[in-house]
Amino acid sequence: MMNTFIFDMDGVIVDSEYTYFKSKTDILHEAGHDVPVSYQYQFMGTTSDFMWQIMKEEFNLPQTVEEYGKEMNRRRDEIIQKDGVQPIANVRDLIKRLSEAGFKLGVASASRKEEIIRNLKELGLDSYFTQAVSAEEVEHSKPEPDVFLHTAELLGSKPSDCIVIEDTKNGTRAAKAAEMYCVGFANPDYPAQDLSCADEIIKDFREINENWLNEKRL
């Protein structure tokens, strides 16, 4: 019986992907590399170290991966301070309904641990989640399954107990590598992602209704 939900954060709980797109694209532009914002779509669901290592090699960037990651996060923090932490449509209601229905809830994200905690607190959702895990805490990031398996372990759940909600190709691949049921969230406000690895695809969190939940708990 499925009794656990594990959420990705960026693009699933928090409307934050645009902060990555803008900060990274601006840094590359200032370094003389005129790439479109769409160049960044390939990195959705990956860690800062992974994406900056790829860009450093591709564009022969002079600074270290760590320095670029810090600069990206500084710029992202400025955007978030200006705009605030914005939730994805209908996600707060879904999380509350799942908690009231007795599901165990966790977050498994490629983002920094401090950012996960901050975002959940800002949205008033921290009390609903028993575990919040960053890819910083495991050996391999998505598309490897480590972060999902570690989150399930901390929640006391088997992979077969878990439903993962992901919005990226790398995230859905990681969920299936963990042998968990994967719901691909095709966010209509974000660039289209290859979610073909997911067991099913939704476009609105209201699709996860009482009937849907009862079917999964059988």
Side-chain angles (χ1 to χ4, degrees):
M1 181 175 72
M2 296 181 186
N3 59 15
T4 302
F5 271 82
I6 300 177
F7 286 73
D8 178 39
M9 184 180 70
D10 295 295
V12 173
I13 296 176
V14 180
D15 183 10
S16 55
E17 293 288 8
Y18 76 98
T19 68
Y20 288 100
F21 299 156
K22 178 170 175 52
S23 60
K24 290 184 292 177
T25 302
D26 286 351
I27 290 171
L28 290 179
H29 284 179
E30 291 167 15
H33 305 287
D34 190 20
V35 299
V37 171
S38 58
Y39 169 81
Q40 304 295 345
Y41 298 169
Q42 64 183 303
F43 299 120
M44 292 175 69
T46 62
T47 63
S48 174
D49 284 353
F50 174 85
M51 65 180 76
W52 279 111
Q53 185 62 49
I54 297 296
M55 290 188 285
K56 180 176 171 61
E57 293 172 1
E58 182 172 347
F59 299 109
N60 195 28
L61 299 174
Q63 298 181 48
T64 66
V65 167
E66 182 179 8
E67 287 171 328
Y68 283 114
K70 286 181 178 179
E71 177 60 15
M72 177 190 72
N73 287 328
R74 185 191 68 77
R75 295 181 185 220
R76 290 188 61 244
D77 286 342
E78 286 184 352
I79 296 171
I80 292 168
Q81 285 180 11
K82 177 173 68 73
D83 296 348
V85 177
Q86 302 296 322
I88 295 295
N90 302 311
V91 75
R92 282 198 277 210
D93 178 64
L94 172 62
I95 290 167
K96 292 174 183 178
R97 287 191 290 109
L98 294 177
S99 177
E100 290 169 358
F103 285 92
K104 293 186 281 187
L105 302 180
V107 173
S109 172
S111 292
R112 296 167 291 166
K113 181 83 168 193
E114 63 190 62
E115 188 170 344
I116 299 171
I117 300 301
R118 179 193 67 191
N119 286 342
L120 293 178
K121 286 184 177 179
E122 285 285 328
L123 295 177
L125 296 173
D126 52 310
S127 64
Y128 295 102
F129 289 94
T130 308
Q131 298 294 335
V133 179
S134 166
E136 296 174 331
E137 302 172 67
V138 296
E139 185 174 359
H140 300 109
S141 61
K142 303 171 188 178
E144 299 302 318
D146 301 32
V147 70
F148 288 124
L149 292 173
H150 186 49
T151 304
E153 181 181 12
L154 292 174
L155 288 166
S157 301
K158 298 178 295 185
S160 58
D161 296 334
C162 298
I163 298 170
V164 171
I165 302 181
E166 265 285 358
D167 71 320
T168 68
K169 177 180 179 179
N170 288 315
T172 56
R173 288 173 61 195
K176 293 314 297 176
E179 299 185 348
M180 298 177 181
Y181 190 88
C182 183
V183 177
F185 176 50
N187 190 330
D189 297 324
Y190 281 10
Q193 286 275 299
D194 177 4
L195 302 177
S196 57
C197 287
D199 294 286
E200 65 177 283
I201 297 174
I202 64 172
K203 293 184 177 181
D204 189 310
F205 286 129
R206 288 174 294 190
E207 295 177 48
I208 302 178
N209 54 33
E210 186 174 354
N211 290 336
W212 191 98
L213 294 173
N214 288 336
E215 288 178 3
K216 296 299 180 289
R217 293 185 111 165
L218 292 177

